[in-house]
Amino acid sequence: MNQCLFSVVIPLYNKASHIADTIQSVLAQDEQDFEIIVVDDGSKDNGPKVVEHLQQQASQIRLVTQANGGVSKARNTGIREAKGHYLCFLDGDDLWHPAFLSEIHQLIKRFPEAGAYSCGYAHQFANGEKRPVKPRFNRKQRKERHCLYDFFAVASRGELPIMPSSCCIPRKILEQCGGFPEGEPIGEDQDLWIRIAYYHPMAYSHEMYCYYLQDAENRACVANIPSVECPFSQRLYQHSERSDDPRRRDMLRLTANHLLHLSQLNILAGNRDAARALLADTRCRLLPKRFIKWRLKLFIS
């Protein structure tokens, strides 16, 4: 395939029951200048067979196979295979609205200086219910359909404004900042957002055009709850400690946000000792309302 505008990289591991819907949501895009690269990461089900069947109907689809190495390795394989100017990453059990790529294209044209582009996303449940994720932008940014923002400022306040299935990254930015770190349990996507945000602003559309399925198999954030701070947050903390970046406090607050999120997950999973150790980190006090909430939850659980 010749060079195209968008390369859509889809990591696949045991998602046979979802992958057809995921690919069809890409094929249904209003913007049709794209290729689809499905990277099978050693699936043990018939997901690759489903993709092969769809290949017979759509020439944009390529299937790449590799031994199981994790989602980051699959995404990095897709990056190496990609021919597009801009790379999108769609998990094998998530969905796009038909206007997703055209909305991203508008963002690119309006904010060519951005290091990453994303749109609004929602958690979608088995009953069809959609719960929008609401990052805490400032007042001016909330009023605009499209906005340019600093990742550390927004992400340190609450929900992340970007996730793998809602994002698009220029090829030149990936060449500058590198891909996804391999061999880490969760948070590998946040590591990439952080490395991009050191040098570039990001662009966001408030249109909710991405759906993050909550009933899907193999959700790493549910299956493997870390009991200690993840590597991406440790690296950000170390960077902020030696940095004179004026955003240093936001960086520290982002690590606190991560620690409190892990505390929440461990409390809900009944891992009280792990939650107690996480909450003992003094950074958690940078977000006092959430810190008090989960200290109380731990006390009464």
Side-chain angles (χ1 to χ4, degrees):
M1 180 180 287
N2 296 326
Q3 198 164 48
C4 52
L5 185 60
F6 295 106
S7 290
V8 182
V9 175
I10 304 177
L12 175 63
Y13 182 71
N14 294 349
K15 302 288 175 67
S17 60
H18 292 278
I19 188 61
D21 289 341
T22 296
I23 291 175
Q24 291 291 358
S25 79
V26 182
L27 294 174
Q29 291 297 299
D30 299 335
E31 169 62 65
Q32 285 285 304
D33 189 3
F34 63 79
E35 63 171 352
I36 300 172
I37 304 169
V38 180
V39 182
D40 174 40
D41 190 41
S43 293
K44 298 176 183 178
D45 63 7
N46 69 336
K49 293 292 184 183
V50 175
V51 177
E52 289 173 357
H53 177 73
L54 291 171
Q55 280 184 294
Q56 299 173 17
Q57 306 168 32
S59 61
Q60 303 103 311
I61 303 171
R62 280 193 283 152
L63 176 62
V64 179
T65 61
Q66 66 178 33
N68 180 253
V71 66
S72 286
K73 186 173 182 179
R75 288 175 183 149
N76 289 338
T77 296
I79 291 170
R80 290 191 294 271
E81 293 283 336
K83 296 181 173 65
H85 294 288
Y86 298 90
L87 280 77
C88 301
F89 301 91
L90 179 61
D91 283 353
D93 45 21
D94 291 341
L95 302 170
W96 283 347
H97 183 282
F100 176 84
L101 283 179
S102 58
E103 188 72 8
I104 293 293
H105 199 183
Q106 288 186 48
L107 281 176
I108 291 169
K109 288 186 285 188
R110 182 171 178 183
F111 301 113
E113 71 273 31
Y117 304 89
S118 63
C119 70
Y121 63 98
H123 296 298
Q124 181 168 316
F125 297 86
N127 62 2
E129 178 190 2
K130 296 181 177 68
R131 294 182 189 171
V133 173
K134 299 179 180 179
R136 295 180 62 187
F137 291 96
N138 64 36
R139 183 176 300 178
K140 180 181 178 182
Q141 291 165 337
R142 289 196 301 270
K143 290 181 177 179
E144 299 175 344
R145 173 175 172 172
H146 298 155
C147 64
L148 203 65
Y149 69 96
D150 176 70
F151 173 78
F152 298 115
V154 176
S156 65
R157 299 186 194 120
E159 298 281 5
L160 295 177
I162 182 172
M163 48 89 81
S165 292
S166 75
C167 84
C168 175
I169 304 174
R171 174 185 292 278
K172 64 182 181 182
I173 297 296
L174 287 167
E175 291 171 351
Q176 174 193 27
C177 297
F180 296 88
E182 299 180 12
E184 298 185 3
I186 65 170
E188 71 288 336
D189 52 333
Q190 293 188 60
D191 186 88
L192 178 56
W193 314 150
I194 287 166
R195 281 183 279 122
I196 292 172
Y198 284 149
Y199 306 104
H200 305 280
M202 296 184 179
Y204 183 84
S205 167
H206 289 278
E207 296 296 325
M208 191 182 71
Y209 286 157
C210 177
Y211 310 114
Y212 181 49
L213 269 62
Q214 298 301 293
D215 64 322
E217 312 97 326
N218 307 320
R219 285 292 186 200
C221 57
V222 175
N224 305 297
I225 299 174
S227 59
V228 296
E229 183 178 9
C230 290
F232 82 88
S233 182
Q234 294 176 23
R235 288 190 288 268
L236 178 58
Y237 177 53
Q238 292 164 4
H239 173 86
S240 65
E241 285 291 279
R242 61 176 183 269
S243 173
D244 58 359
D245 192 308
R247 302 170 298 172
R248 177 178 179 274
R249 184 169 177 82
D250 285 334
M251 294 176 186
L252 288 171
R253 284 166 58 89
L254 180 53
T255 67
N257 196 9
H258 168 66
L259 291 168
L260 288 164
H261 177 63
L262 291 185
S263 301
Q264 173 186 349
L265 293 178
N266 278 281
I267 289 170
L268 296 176
N271 304 327
R272 300 181 77 254
D273 289 343
R276 186 179 295 106
L278 289 160
L279 288 169
D281 192 302
T282 57
R283 283 173 287 165
C284 292
R285 297 174 184 270
L286 293 170
L287 300 172
K289 290 182 179 180
R290 289 185 61 202
F291 172 66
I292 292 170
K293 174 183 177 179
W294 291 108
R295 276 289 299 270
L296 289 173
K297 289 280 189 181
L298 177 63
F299 180 75
I300 64 176
S301 64

